[in-house]
Amino acid sequence: MFTFDVDPAALFEERARQFTAWGIPGSAVARARGRITDMWGTGQGSWVPVWSGLAREAERDGRWLRAAQLWGAARFPALATDDRLAAYERQRECFARAVGRFPVRTVREVLAVPSAQGARALALPVHLVTRIARVTRGRRVRGVLVLSGGVDTWKVELHRMAVATALATGLTVVVIDMPGTGESPLPLAPDGDALLAGLVEVLRERFPGVPVACFGVSFGGHWAVKLAARGVVDAAVGLGGPTGAAGQDIDVPSLPHGMAGIIGNALHLDGPPDAATAEALLSGFSLRRQGLLDATGGAPLLAVNGEHDQYIPRGDTTALASRPDTTVWIVRNATHCAAERIRPVLVGTWGWLLARMGGGVRTETLLRVPVRRHLEVPL
């Protein structure tokens, strides 16, 4: 792991909305923003000490979920320093203390997941979130949704989205860290979908006869699209995922807000990748080069992104429209992952998923109403 150049003021400019979406109050984000002047140091105005102070305040008040979310901000954007590793450990401890106070049943499990055919099983920690009393009886489960974030948003940060999805849809949401992040046993690599496919296999055994879908956010959207193309899942949603569908290489070293360093840490590199290294490493992720976007069959796919994504070429989403059984939503006046319109996008996504997991068309039509007016091409 390594540190990298990133301006905390610029990072807040882009990510403040992301922190509040995790569940951190805007007032806490504003306090941190006003105090932090250094990204990697240990002084009074440094990133980890400031966020840690806010997290300890929440702990003293017994607000364990909020504390976990604040510790998540402290360990952000990569586990590149000892104090961030300590913050990540404390985040998991606080989240464990918060379990039992949620409006849904939340269980942490470590599943034995095969990562490739014939390979030994790997230990994959997951959070199972469901609105029903028990998650062990497949006959009582409406459907299973694997939820993955990207290179800097992990299981605890996704908890709010998981809870909302479970309550709104009745699906059992299985929250994971994608390869290269959090508690994932593998680094980020082009064949990381083998781990997710192994997880789907385990879930199908646990919940027989129940549809399994995948919802990937940011880089997690890459895995969702790939699982759909391979026909591993019954449906998939890719929100802001890099796919290579545009046939356009991403200039990783030029990405803003330290993204090259964040990706480099997920790849388990020893330092920031230069242009040649990044191209060599990331070209293998292109689903077009892998021939997956030209294949027939697969699962239904919903591909979504903002029209002004600052990281991913527009064609990585729009070019997927040529794939069979694929719906594309480009959200107007929105950036990466349509963050500015995430609530109506999420509601519309629930309707799309339910319609493909045994729900009715009427439900899909109703739930897509909030997002319709934000799309470039109206539904």
Side-chain angles (χ1 to χ4, degrees):
M1 298 300 219
F2 60 90
T3 61
F4 46 90
D5 290 338
V6 58
D7 176 15
L11 195 63
F12 271 112
E13 186 67 27
E14 187 206 24
R15 299 301 185 102
R17 180 182 288 105
Q18 180 176 339
F19 297 146
T20 56
W22 294 354
I24 298 175
S27 58
V29 176
R31 288 173 64 189
R33 189 174 189 171
R35 298 175 185 178
I36 292 173
T37 57
D38 173 66
M39 195 66 197
W40 303 109
T42 58
Q44 186 175 7
S46 296
W47 186 273
V48 176
V50 171
W51 283 113
S52 297
L54 295 172
R56 292 190 182 97
E57 287 181 15
E59 287 186 30
R60 287 193 294 269
D61 293 339
R63 295 175 174 265
W64 294 107
L65 178 58
R66 179 169 297 178
Q69 294 158 341
L70 288 162
W71 282 117
R75 66 91 193 143
F76 187 87
L79 302 180
T81 57
D82 289 341
D83 55 358
R84 280 175 169 78
L85 286 166
Y88 184 44
E89 181 177 356
R90 188 59 188 159
Q91 180 192 40
R92 287 173 286 172
E93 292 171 356
C94 289
F95 187 80
R97 296 194 66 167
V99 170
R101 305 183 182 187
F102 303 144
V104 294
R105 178 178 170 85
T106 302
V107 178
R108 173 188 165 89
E109 292 191 24
V110 180
L111 302 179
V113 175
S115 61
Q117 190 171 6
R120 66 180 179 85
L122 297 175
L124 180 64
V126 304
H127 295 169
L128 288 98
V129 180
T130 179
R131 74 183 186 193
I132 62 176
R134 294 177 62 84
V135 297
T136 55
R137 300 177 182 175
R139 62 183 177 84
R140 299 187 62 186
V141 174
R142 183 175 191 172
V144 178
L145 179 67
V146 177
L147 177 62
S148 170
V151 287
D152 54 40
T153 299
W154 306 344
K155 292 194 300 297
V156 173
E157 291 80 57
L158 287 171
H159 181 71
R160 193 181 189 192
M161 180 182 289
V163 168
T165 300
L167 288 173
T169 65
L171 300 173
T172 292
V173 183
V174 182
V175 193
I176 66 168
D177 298 320
M178 67 163 241
T181 71
E183 296 182 283
S184 173
L186 297 175
L188 179 61
D191 62 354
D193 57 297
L195 181 66
L196 280 75
L199 171 62
V200 172
E201 178 183 331
V202 170
L203 295 173
R204 290 197 189 279
E205 292 176 357
R206 181 166 181 168
F207 303 105
V210 169
V212 178
C214 181
F215 187 172
V217 180
S218 193
F219 209 114
H222 169 88
W223 305 116
V225 175
K226 191 170 185 180
L227 293 181
R230 291 181 51 202
V232 172
V233 290
D234 298 298
V237 177
L239 175 59
T243 65
Q248 176 183 344
D249 291 329
I250 299 173
D251 184 4
V252 174
S254 297
L255 293 177
H257 311 301
M259 185 55 69
I262 299 171
I263 294 173
N265 274 281
L267 289 164
H268 290 194
L269 301 181
D270 295 326
D274 57 25
T277 301
E279 182 178 356
L281 288 169
L282 295 180
S283 62
F285 286 90
S286 171
L287 302 185
R288 183 164 298 286
R289 290 175 181 168
Q290 293 175 36
L292 290 173
L293 300 184
D294 300 322
T296 57
L301 171 67
L302 172 62
V304 188
N305 207 0
E307 68 170 332
H308 301 302
D309 191 311
Q310 62 272 41
Y311 298 114
I312 308 301
R314 179 186 176 95
D316 271 23
T317 304
T318 57
L320 294 171
S322 63
R323 181 186 173 275
D325 208 358
T326 296
T327 302
V328 171
W329 293 351
I330 297 297
V331 183
R332 296 193 309 271
N333 302 317
T335 58
H336 184 55
C337 293
E340 296 81 357
R341 301 287 183 268
I342 190 60
R343 290 184 179 179
V345 166
L346 191 56
V347 172
T349 296
W350 293 336
W352 186 92
L353 280 167
L354 288 174
R356 284 147 188 85
M357 300 179 73
V361 174
R362 183 176 180 182
T363 299
E364 178 181 11
T365 301
L366 177 65
L367 292 181
R368 73 186 184 188
V369 168
V371 75
R372 289 179 60 178
R373 65 187 181 91
H374 297 295
L375 300 182
E376 273 194 349
V377 179
L379 295 170

